[in-house]
């Protein structure tokens, strides 16, 4: 009787272990910091953003200059002249806001450029993660930086270094 219970218990433990899922996590920011193409893409986006921000600032400085000139000349202007100058200032302000929205808005050029430049890099990282998961027989890999709350994760389940190695890079050596 003891043998049967022992065999059943051993079988139950073996079956439970066989169906257990394996989990791991990666730190996508850490991985991306190792990728030279990501660092290059970030610099390219920062340069583009700074250039467009400079253009926006120049437009608002021009509006400010026009407004100050309007205030200085307001006493000498006829009502018709005031309307024209105010309309000119309003048009320039609308134009500047529209330019800013086109460049930096949610569907703006910066967002689109970011998507076209960074998406291939993220796809490359995703393929490397998938390859690590398949080679190590891992069922699910979470991203430490995503919206999934990870209150604790044992470092032994961190597969970031494996992904970096799979990408042909050296863990701990950040791209410049």
């Amino acid at each position: 009787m003891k043998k049967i219970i022992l065999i059943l218990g051993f079988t139950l433990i073996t079956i439970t272990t066989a169906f257990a899922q394996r989990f791991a996590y990666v730190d996508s920011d850490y991985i991306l910091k190792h990728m030279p193409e990501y660092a290059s893409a970030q610099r390219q986006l920062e340069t583009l953003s700074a250039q467009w921000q400079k253009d926006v600032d120049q437009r608002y400085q021009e509006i400010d200059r026009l407004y100050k000139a309007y205030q200085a000349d307001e006493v000498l202007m006829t009502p018709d002249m005031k309307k024209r100058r105010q309309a000119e200032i309003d048009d320039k302000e609308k134009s500047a806001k529209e330019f800013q929205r086109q460049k930096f808005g949610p569907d703006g050029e910066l967002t689109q450029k970011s998507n076209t430049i960074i998406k291939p890099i993220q796809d490359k990282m995703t393929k490397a993660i998938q390859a690590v998961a398949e080679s190590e027989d891992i069922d699910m890999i979470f991203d430490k930086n995503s919206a999934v709350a990870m209150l604790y994760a044992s470092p032994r389940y961190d597969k970031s270094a494996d992904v970096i190695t799979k990408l042909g890079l050296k863990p701990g050596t950040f791209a410049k």
Side-chain angles (χ1 to χ4, degrees), residues 50-155:
Q51 179 185 357
W52 285 337
Q53 187 59 48
K54 185 178 175 185
D55 290 347
V56 168
D57 291 344
Q58 286 176 346
R59 289 171 186 242
Y60 279 109
Q61 286 173 355
E62 172 69 13
I63 292 166
D64 190 45
R65 187 189 61 73
L66 287 173
Y67 185 70
K68 286 179 180 174
Y70 168 78
Q71 286 179 324
D73 298 341
E74 185 176 17
V75 197
L76 306 172
M77 287 190 243
T78 65
D80 187 44
M81 289 172 70
K82 285 182 185 180
K83 283 183 184 178
R84 274 189 275 135
R85 294 273 294 270
Q86 285 174 342
E88 178 187 2
I89 293 169
D90 289 344
D91 288 345
K92 289 210 181 254
E93 192 169 4
K94 285 178 187 174
S95 173
K97 285 180 181 179
E98 178 62 21
F99 178 80
Q100 189 172 20
R101 188 192 61 74
Q102 285 175 349
K103 301 298 181 188
F104 298 106
D107 295 327
E109 287 183 45
L110 186 63
T111 303
Q112 292 171 1
K113 188 77 168 170
S114 175
N115 289 340
T116 57
I117 292 175
I118 294 186
K119 183 160 178 21
I121 298 167
Q122 289 173 330
D123 290 345
K124 182 178 177 182
M125 180 182 68
T126 301
K127 286 179 185 174
I129 290 170
Q130 184 178 358
V132 168
E134 289 172 357
S135 70
E136 296 189 20
D137 199 29
I138 298 171
D139 297 311
M140 291 184 200
I141 294 186
F142 297 100
D143 184 359
K144 185 178 178 181
N145 297 312
S146 70
V148 175
M150 196 179 299
L151 300 176
Y152 172 77
S154 173

